[in-house]
Amino acid sequence: MVMQSNQSMSISLTSNEFLEDPYPFYDRMRSVHPVYQVKSFKYPGWYVTGYEEAKEILLDTRFQNRIPLPFATKKYGHLKDIQNNMLLFKNQVDHRRIRGIVGKAFTPKKMEEYRPFIVETVNDLILQAEAKREMDIVSDFAFPLTSLIIAKILGVPAAERYQFREWSAGLLQTIDFTRTRRVLESGNEWTVKLLAYFKRLIKERKSLPQNDLISLLIKEEQQGDKLTEEELLATCILLVIAGHETTVNLISNAILALENHPEQFIMLKENPELIETAVEEFLRYESPTQMTARIASEDLQINGATIKKGEHVYIFLGAANRDPSRFDRAHVLDVTRNPNPHLSFGYGVHFCLGASLARIEAQMAISVLIQRIPDFKIALDELQWRKLVGFRSLKKLPIIF
Ligand code: HEM
């Protein structure tokens, strides 16, 4: 997928150069036009790198969320059906209906109730690492933390949660530019496994309800036309993926950013009350979700560009967050930055449902880690980013102390 329209921007979105540092590419594209039409890519459409343009598109529901699979999907039937029923890919009336139901379980107040459990889990994980004096931030810290929490909220027994890592990583790739036919086929297989798992769990909860999200959603499903069984299953799967993937990246990208900015690291250690603005800045600086997409439901104008009905729009949140026309010193990490209106959780009706939870998890994980292990060092010669365009995700981040 090489961009040739303008020689100075010739780059492959899946090259190591782009994966290591996409920001120079975003800057070059934005300087040509913040809404830039590319016909030569594997995914032709409008590439949006400007902040105001990204916000305007996310706010305008005539730009609809769409099922991200290719049209010929016979081989990926289960994957397609499940995505079709996910809140994230619903529009208008159906979106409002499902969001109204699931949103009740994700209010900031409800999420605050998990703060003590999150702190306890963070402390337990650090205790386990202290004996070894090393840990991988991705696999030994961020992943177990986020996975335990989402499992607890949903009502997945703790002992059964390990299998979800592979399943959710496999499904994430099915919505990324880098996917291949093989990825889609295995995504379909993971979907079959997830469906079987949740069908069994839902059956159990139907006969013996618990104080968890699955039991709450079942109640809605049983009240007639509120939530179909397919939507209930799709919601469980969406929450498992969303709860696992992005927050892990927020925490590990934040630790990397601190290690690369020693003066910011010292400032945060000496002023722990800065953790809230610091987490917002980590979100802005290295957005865990780099890109989301829409399709125009009619001809629409954005900053002089005419986007025709049916055309795709790729909104680079990571680029909008570094737009110098919106952020002073856009490429500088500043843990005191305030206000910080980044778009890392999206904007408008699809604004991330898990934002409060992700914020609490990251605030607690990072602040407790740097209090208890103030002098860690990253033990890696070369960073390895997962081969994804839409997500900024490290394969591992080992630290020693
Ligand atoms: C740092 C962590 C996270 C980031 C950066 C993030 C990012 C996003 C973004 C950008 C969107 C909007 C996508 C779009 O408009 O196309 C979104 C939607 C969503 N997120 Fe998150 N997310 C995070 C954590 C979570 C967590 C922990 C959960 C749940 C437990 C979650 C659940 C959802 C759901 C259900 C939606 C769909 C909302 C809708 O369509 O109405 N997210 N997220």
Side-chain angles (χ1 to χ4, degrees):
M1 208 192 319
V2 180
M3 183 166 181
Q4 295 289 11
S5 321
N6 176 321
Q7 270 311 308
S8 66
M9 281 193 290
S10 186
I11 192 169
S12 159
L13 288 186
T14 48
S15 67
N16 285 338
E17 188 193 351
F18 179 83
L19 292 177
E20 273 160 29
D21 187 8
Y23 302 105
F25 168 78
Y26 295 155
D27 283 347
R28 276 182 281 158
M29 196 178 245
R30 195 190 307 104
S31 70
V32 179
H33 200 285
V35 185
Y36 189 89
Q37 189 175 26
V38 184
K39 292 185 175 158
S40 57
F41 277 11
K42 182 174 169 198
Y43 294 98
W46 296 86
Y47 283 62
V48 181
T49 48
Y51 179 89
E52 290 305 333
E53 293 80 0
K55 203 166 145 184
E56 193 178 336
I57 292 167
L58 290 170
L59 204 53
D60 188 336
T61 50
R62 291 172 301 171
F63 286 103
Q64 301 202 330
N65 243 352
R66 83 289 174 254
I67 313 170
L69 286 176
F71 291 112
T73 48
K74 267 204 177 133
K75 281 195 175 159
Y76 335 120
H78 296 290
L79 184 60
K80 187 178 178 183
D81 285 349
I82 216 69
Q83 289 187 347
N84 202 15
N85 282 296
M86 281 181 184
L87 168 66
L88 184 59
F89 303 120
K90 294 273 189 190
N91 293 290
Q92 271 83 23
V93 184
D94 282 341
H95 177 260
R96 277 198 295 279
R97 174 176 52 84
I98 305 179
R99 175 113 187 176
I101 295 168
V102 188
K104 279 192 250 170
F106 277 91
T107 59
K109 195 163 160 254
K110 283 232 162 75
M111 293 302 108
E112 271 305 325
E113 291 168 14
Y114 290 98
R115 198 182 281 266
F117 177 69
I118 292 170
V119 175
E120 192 189 314
T121 310
V122 168
N123 276 306
D124 283 353
L125 292 167
I126 294 176
L127 190 66
Q128 287 168 33
E130 273 170 346
K132 294 188 282 171
R133 308 205 68 75
E134 62 176 19
M135 76 168 153
D136 176 10
I137 294 289
V138 176
S139 309
D140 302 331
F141 186 57
F143 175 76
L145 171 69
T146 55
S147 132
L148 269 167
I149 311 296
I150 194 64
K152 188 174 172 75
I153 295 176
L154 266 174
V156 168
E160 291 171 17
R161 74 193 157 82
Y162 291 99
Q163 53 204 340
F164 287 105
R165 185 176 189 186
E166 202 178 2
W167 295 352
S168 58
L171 283 189
L172 188 78
Q173 233 198 326
T174 65
I175 60 169
D176 195 74
F177 274 5
T178 52
R179 68 188 178 193
T180 56
R181 217 171 50 201
R182 180 75 209 106
V183 165
L184 289 170
E185 281 166 15
S186 59
N188 200 54
E189 287 160 25
W190 302 131
T191 308
V192 172
K193 290 187 181 146
L194 274 157
L195 281 171
Y197 179 84
F198 279 112
K199 276 184 182 163
R200 179 183 60 73
L201 195 62
I202 288 168
K203 203 168 154 200
E204 278 174 29
R205 290 295 184 278
K206 274 189 176 162
S207 58
L208 195 62
Q210 306 277 321
N211 185 21
D212 57 31
L213 181 56
I214 293 190
S215 305
L216 186 140
L217 294 174
I218 290 171
K219 238 193 255 165
E220 301 283 345
E221 187 229 341
Q222 287 171 334
Q223 282 173 19
D225 56 2
K226 284 196 165 174
L227 195 69
T228 66
E229 195 187 342
E230 291 73 28
E231 288 165 349
L232 167 59
L233 283 162
T235 302
C236 293
I237 294 177
L238 173 61
L239 290 175
V240 162
I241 304 169
H244 275 85
E245 285 293 335
T246 42
T247 319
V248 173
N249 299 332
L250 170 57
I251 295 168
S252 42
N253 295 351
I255 299 300
L256 176 65
L258 284 174
E259 169 86 0
N260 287 338
H261 297 82
E263 73 302 342
Q264 296 292 307
F265 197 174
I266 291 169
M267 196 189 303
L268 186 56
K269 273 193 258 188
E270 290 177 353
N271 304 280
E273 71 283 1
L274 287 178
I275 191 63
E276 287 183 21
T277 52
V279 165
E280 297 312 301
E281 181 66 346
F282 299 135
L283 279 158
R284 182 194 75 84
Y285 184 77
E286 202 80 271
S287 185
T289 306
Q290 288 279 309
M291 192 266 280
T292 185
R294 297 287 188 270
I295 195 162
S297 66
E298 54 188 272
D299 291 0
L300 292 159
Q301 290 277 337
I302 297 287
N303 189 0
T306 305
I307 302 175
K308 297 250 171 63
K309 181 178 175 178
E311 286 180 339
H312 282 85
V313 181
Y314 299 107
I315 307 144
F316 283 81
L317 305 172
N321 286 345
R322 300 257 194 137
D323 183 343
S325 68
R326 186 63 190 83
F327 294 98
D328 285 342
R329 300 166 300 125
H331 291 299
V332 174
L333 180 84
D334 174 1
V335 295
T336 67
R337 193 184 287 271
N338 192 14
N340 190 343
H342 62 76
L343 298 180
S344 300
F345 289 124
Y347 198 74
V349 293
H350 288 280
F351 182 81
C352 176
L353 203 66
S356 304
L357 175 64
R359 284 180 161 129
I360 299 173
E361 287 180 330
Q363 288 165 9
M364 293 300 102
I366 298 161
S367 57
V368 175
L369 181 77
I370 64 181
Q371 273 162 34
R372 287 197 42 187
I373 312 177
D375 296 315
F376 63 80
K377 279 270 153 287
I378 291 177
L380 202 63
D381 294 334
E382 214 173 305
L383 292 174
Q384 287 174 33
W385 295 98
R386 278 163 75 193
K387 207 169 176 155
L388 296 166
V389 173
F391 303 90
R392 195 88 181 118
S393 178
L394 284 163
K395 280 189 190 159
K396 55 183 179 174
L397 190 66
I399 58 164
I400 46 171
F401 45 92

